[in-house]
Amino acid sequence: MKANRCRNPIIVVDDLYVNFYTYAGVVKAIDGVSFCIERGETYCLVGETGCGKSVTSRALTRLILPPGKIERGRILYYPEPGKVVDIMKLSEEELRMIRGDEITYIFQDPGTALDPLYTIGYQISETMLVHGYINKIRKGVSRAIQLLKETLIPDPEQRIKSYPHELSGGMKQRAVIATSLANRPRLIIADEPTTALDATVQAQIMELLRNLKKKRGLTILLITHNMGLVAEMCDRVGVMYAGQLVEEAPTEELFRNPLHPYTRALLRAVPNPLRRIEKLESIPGTVPNLIYPPAGCRFHPRCAHVMDTCKRQKPELTRIGNKHYVSCWLYSRR
Ligand code: SF4
């Protein structure tokens, strides 16, 4: 298994391939991605829009809807050390019992994650009802209030009676977080949880997630394109490009010693207030069309170090240092 790089994993993704069958052609969205998440850590998937971060995170609970299809790969979930569940072999019913209970999602836009027709209290209680923790919606009221308190929503007794349109963006995201905590989550997948919020609310929401993780001993998979968030929140980082994992390292190591030309370019493109520059750096070229991805290394049309091999053969993820892996012919032992 390529992805077995964790001592005490909560999830292991091995050689995952996801395609989307569109009228224009087959989009090879995820191409052999392998990684694992240690129990209790915050693991970040980072990369440009369209690089496959969200598709990967949704695939963890087979939340890929047609025309998307998981072509192959293994996804192993370890609810406890030594106990393993093969996600790909579960029935839809079995999977539904894990999704929203042990593995929960916080999506980018809280406005669309919440149902406009029901109150916040109803929606939190419904999550408990679906998973059998209560047998009537009204029995979830006190727990819903307690969960809203945990997310520091002011006046939670009133807020459970509010409809989503009556809440600010930050409050809505806190309500979504409360829903994700309602049952017994072990792994929370936060997909760009602050992108739709303004800067001060972003900071509050990330602080809240950090505190909840500590208090409840959660594991978090954070999907983001914001390198500042990565530096602040994450223990380890996986860098994705065009549906492939191109580098993985502990956060400090990645910032100190980025190896893959794409990671280096990504970090150079982040503005640094301490450095005077004439103009912001950008990565030349554009993200490839994944219906016709470039052969070999998918980054090769944009890479300043491209060699002949890069155009023909896909580099494997190779261990370079302590927990530091990179997929690039510059570092492969050929
Ligand atoms: Fe650049 Fe080649 Fe490395 Fe790809 S494999 S990033 S093209 S040097």
Side-chain angles (χ1 to χ4, degrees):
M1 187 186 289
K2 292 178 187 177
N4 201 2
R5 306 191 281 271
C6 292
R7 282 197 188 150
N8 180 15
I10 191 161
I11 204 129
V12 176
V13 178
D14 192 41
D15 220 13
L16 180 71
Y17 287 78
V18 180
N19 288 344
F20 286 82
Y21 292 83
T22 69
Y23 287 117
V26 181
V27 180
K28 289 109 188 156
I30 303 297
D31 183 71
V33 164
S34 300
F35 66 98
C36 58
I37 304 177
E38 292 277 11
R39 193 177 304 280
E41 79 171 340
T42 300
Y43 185 94
C44 277
L45 278 179
V46 71
E48 287 166 286
T49 303
C51 70
K53 314 180 291 284
S54 295
V55 175
T56 304
S57 71
R58 284 168 184 253
L60 296 190
T61 61
R62 292 193 351 230
L63 208 54
I64 302 289
L65 303 175
K69 187 176 173 223
I70 299 178
E71 294 295 340
R72 62 177 206 261
R74 287 180 88 191
I75 300 164
L76 301 178
Y77 165 54
Y78 296 79
E80 301 160 13
K83 190 176 165 197
V84 61
V85 176
D86 189 336
I87 294 280
M88 296 304 289
K89 289 188 179 154
L90 294 182
S91 68
E92 258 313 310
E93 191 49 38
E94 289 168 327
L95 196 52
R96 253 200 303 275
M97 287 299 109
I98 291 178
R99 194 195 294 139
D101 184 11
E102 297 175 33
I103 303 179
T104 59
Y105 286 84
I106 301 168
F107 290 113
Q108 190 174 124
D109 181 1
T112 52
L114 294 166
D115 190 326
L117 299 178
Y118 294 95
T119 62
I120 297 303
Y122 183 96
Q123 294 185 55
I124 297 174
S125 302
E126 192 186 30
T127 308
M128 296 182 249
L129 183 74
V130 166
H131 290 279
Y133 290 99
I134 53 173
N135 55 11
K136 285 195 176 77
I137 286 284
R138 65 183 159 76
K139 291 198 175 166
V141 172
S142 58
R143 173 97 176 113
I145 293 172
Q146 186 201 330
L147 285 162
L148 288 180
K149 268 187 194 155
E150 261 193 85
T151 65
L152 307 177
I153 280 195
D155 202 3
E157 289 82 1
Q158 285 308 310
R159 291 286 79 90
I160 58 159
K161 298 175 200 156
S162 302
Y163 288 86
H165 74 271
E166 297 174 297
L167 305 183
S168 67
M171 278 192 190
K172 275 189 253 199
Q173 196 57 302
R174 286 173 198 271
V176 171
I177 293 172
T179 311
S180 77
L181 295 171
N183 297 327
R184 40 170 192 175
R186 294 188 165 107
L187 171 64
I188 292 191
I189 300 172
D191 187 354
E192 307 264 11
T194 58
T195 304
L197 307 173
D198 66 49
T200 46
V201 181
Q202 277 185 19
Q204 291 167 6
I205 294 291
M206 292 322 293
E207 180 67 16
L208 173 65
L209 277 178
R210 215 183 353 239
N211 290 340
L212 287 171
K213 174 184 177 271
K214 209 156 129 194
K215 185 171 153 201
R216 287 177 166 239
L218 300 167
T219 305
I220 295 181
L221 168 60
L222 178 66
I223 310 296
T224 183
H225 59 261
N226 181 335
M227 295 307 277
L229 268 191
V230 172
E232 244 178 72
M233 287 287 294
C234 299
D235 298 302
R236 282 191 309 135
V237 192
V239 181
M240 288 194 71
Y241 180 78
Q244 297 173 339
L245 189 78
V246 297
E247 186 162 3
E248 183 188 81
T251 307
E252 218 186 301
E253 164 73 4
L254 190 94
F255 278 84
R256 198 166 32 86
N257 183 28
L259 295 178
H260 196 281
Y262 174 65
T263 314
R264 284 197 234 146
L266 205 59
L267 287 172
R268 277 199 307 270
V270 177
N272 180 348
L274 302 176
R275 202 162 32 113
R276 263 186 81 87
I277 48 165
E278 292 303 316
K279 68 172 185 148
L280 268 182
E281 289 205 40
S282 61
I283 305 173
T286 52
V287 178
N289 177 346
L290 294 184
I291 295 176
Y292 308 105
C297 168
R298 287 186 171 186
F299 189 58
H300 86 248
R302 304 174 77 184
C303 181
H305 306 277
V306 60
M307 302 170 279
D308 276 348
T309 320
C310 310
K311 298 177 188 170
R312 291 194 310 269
Q313 267 179 280
K314 177 181 163 184
E316 291 293 328
L317 204 62
T318 308
R319 185 168 178 266
I320 298 297
N322 186 21
K323 297 186 183 171
H324 197 159
Y325 297 81
V326 66
S327 158
C328 172
W329 285 118
L330 290 174
Y331 308 94
S332 291
R333 290 171 224 107
R334 274 169 289 177

